Each structure stands twice: as structure tokens, then as C-alpha cells.
Amino acid sequence: MKAITIPTAGGPDALLWADVPDPTPGPGEVVIDIRASAVNRADLLQRQGHYPPPAGAPPYPGLECAGVIGAVGAGVTGWSVGEPVCALLSGGGYAERVAVPVGQLLPVPKGVGLTEAAALPEVACTVWSNVARLARLGTDETLLVHGGGSGIGTFAVQFGAALGATVLATARAAKHDRLRELGATAVIDYSSEDFVESTKAATDGRGADVILDIVGGAYLGRNVAALATGGRLVVIGLQGGRRGELDLGALLAKRASVAATALRSQPAADKAAIVRGVREEVWPLVESGVIRPVVDRRVPMAQAAEAHRVVESNTHFGKVLLTLD
Ligand SMILES: NC(=O)c1ccc[n+]([C@@H]2O[C@H](COP(=O)([O-])OP(=O)(O)OC[C@H]3O[C@@H](n4cnc5c(N)ncnc54)[C@H](OP(=O)(O)O)[C@@H]3O)[C@@H](O)[C@H]2O)c1
């Protein structure tokens, strides 16, 4: 088969479409004939040599895909050859085929095209596991989503609104109208506004009950300042560095909490539990049209370098898909 390989870490042109060995399904796995994958921020880091795949994962980038089951391994029940699926991967989505444990498979939601379905697994699993399962966002609460125009952000805004929460989002101004259409009640241009002040202004001074943060170190103190009493800050990205100063007094006074999680490195059993939760609690929202995949553009997989340039420029809104004929 062909896959995007990274012979030498570097810029987008480090991505090479090359012949590689075909995967075979191990026990409890299926092989998917891939129709589409999607670019995640982590893929850019992997390309640069900063984010090696976890042990046992394919060496090629790609944390999600959609396609058709092409082969099933020993002991697999409930899934069969020819079935359309999408999947959460530990790597290997930028390829014609990938082997994946059945616990990471999801049916293609009704009403969603096979290619578009590749936009969903990584964001649905990340957002549901952090916003619903970990932070327990309530219907009468306020969610602040940093990076609202990202793949993660566009899903988180819709998910928060679907739960009935009030959703605030930070993004540069060019993305504001589209964020309002997705359900954000207030949008904050972090490049010209103090997001702490804007969050307070949008919540009658209370602050946000849950913050989903992709910035990390540079925002730690201000995120705690933007939390309401009893608030929960969940850090999932470190685009602003891994270190910051935490004022425990401020946290203590608010009875607030700070957590940080990563999805890719979790054991298969934990990923399977998240995928089950997504299937039960998120897929019905997608199938009823309350949440939709937000696709910025489709790029042929062999031209993944072009897709990486787009994501690196931050001009995209939602997901950039990598497609195969
Ligand atoms: N921990 C996990 O398990 C996990 C899983 C998936 C993703 N993530 C993380 O989640 C983040 C989003 O991933 P993605 O693939 O969806 O990213 P993406 O589509 O590449 O989008 C990243 C966006 O971040 C925004 N941004 C940059 N600096 C910002 C700031 N200071 N404040 C607000 N927004 C800012 C940019 O939008 P503007 O144009 O508005 O600046 C950019 O479009 C990444 O950091 C990724 O590593 C974590």
C-alpha cells in the first residue's frame, strides 16, 4: 500500500507518499480500507520530530480515519468486511490501509458521508472525554472554548451548545461569525481583548464553569482568573508552552480544579471506553443533525504537505480532510 512517510523530520515537504508494507489484522483488530483521514495539530509536531508515535502504533501520521472494513482478525465479532466505519487511531491514518482494535471503531453516523466521517473521531473523543466525562459540564453552566475555530474548538462549541450550556469561544475575528452560527453566544478576539475581562463581562462577573484550553502555560494564571467558583479548567494543548505559574491561593479560594489530559497515549482499553461513551452520548446528537462535522476543505492524501501548510497558517476553520479516491 501507499502511506505518507516522514524519512527525515522537518517542514511540510518532509511528508512523502511512498510504498510501505500492508498491515494485517491482529487478534481483535480489523483492517480499514481508508477513504479519508484528517489533519490534527499533533501531526504537525510528529512531522517535526517532536511527537513520536506511542509503542505499537504505525509510524505514519494520522489519528483518525473513515473507510470500509477490508479484513477482520481472529476473535472479532459484530463487525464485518464491507462495513463503512470511522475510527480513532494511535497513528497510521495517512495511508491506504490501517489495522485498528475494534474498540476504537465507530459506525458512520446516519446522515454523514463516508469522507466527512473522518472529521469526527478525534474531536468527538477528545471533547466528550474532557468536557462531559471529566469536567461534567452542566446544562445551566458556561463553557469557555479556547481556539474556537480549530477542529477541536468547532466541535466543542457545538457540543456545549447541544448540552444546553452557554458557550463562549476565543478566536481571531475572521472566525467569529461562523462560531456564532455553531452556537457560541459570545466570541472573544484574544488578539485584541483580555479574555478574562470578556469572560467576566459575558457571565455577569461569575466567570466560566468549564474552560477547555489548548494554550497551556501562557494562559494558566489567566485561565484560573477566568474560572467561576467551583470551576474546572481542562488543558488539552500546549500551544503556549508547558510551564506556567499556578496561584494555588486563587484556586483554593474558588474551590476550582485544574486537569490536563492526552488521548493518544491512553491504553487501548481506555480509548475503547471513550469510544463507547461517544457512541452512546455523542452519535445521537450527530445523527439528529444537532452537531455536524465542520470541514474546511478536502485535500488529496498524497498532497498532505499542502494540507499541513494550510493548518500551520491557521487560516482554516474546522477540519482539513485528506482524501483517497
Ligand atoms: N490532549 C489531547 O488529547 C488532544 C487531542 C486533540 C487535540 N489536542 C490539542 O487541541 C488543540 C487543537 O487541535 P486541532 O487539531 O483542532 O487544532 P487546529 O485545527 O490546528 O487549530 C489550532 C487553532 O488554535 C488557534 N489558536 C492559536 N493560538 C491561540 C490562542 N492563544 N488563543 C486561542 N486560539 C488560539 C488558532 O486559531 P486562530 O486563527 O483563532 O488563532 C488555530 O486555528 C491543539 O493544541 C492540539 O494539540 C489535544
Side-chain angles (χ1 to χ4, degrees), residues 168-185:
L168 319 178
T170 62
R172 285 180 298 149
K175 301 177 180 177
H176 286 191
D177 287 347
R178 285 171 289 176
L179 283 168
R180 284 196 192 88
E181 282 167 23
L182 292 180
T185 53

Side-chain angles (χ1 to χ4, degrees), residues 45-118:
L45 295 175
Q46 181 170 342
R47 190 200 73 217
Q48 292 161 347
H50 303 314
Y51 194 41
Y60 326 115
L63 299 175
E64 57 197 330
C65 73
V68 173
I69 295 178
V72 297
V76 170
T77 54
W79 299 95
S80 45
V81 170
E83 208 172 334
V85 289
C86 55
L88 179 70
L89 306 174
S90 303
Y94 291 20
E96 290 179 324
R97 282 182 275 287
V98 69
V100 56
V102 288
Q104 288 162 226
L105 292 179
L106 285 154
V108 173
K110 288 185 198 72
V112 174
L114 184 55
T115 305
E116 283 183 290

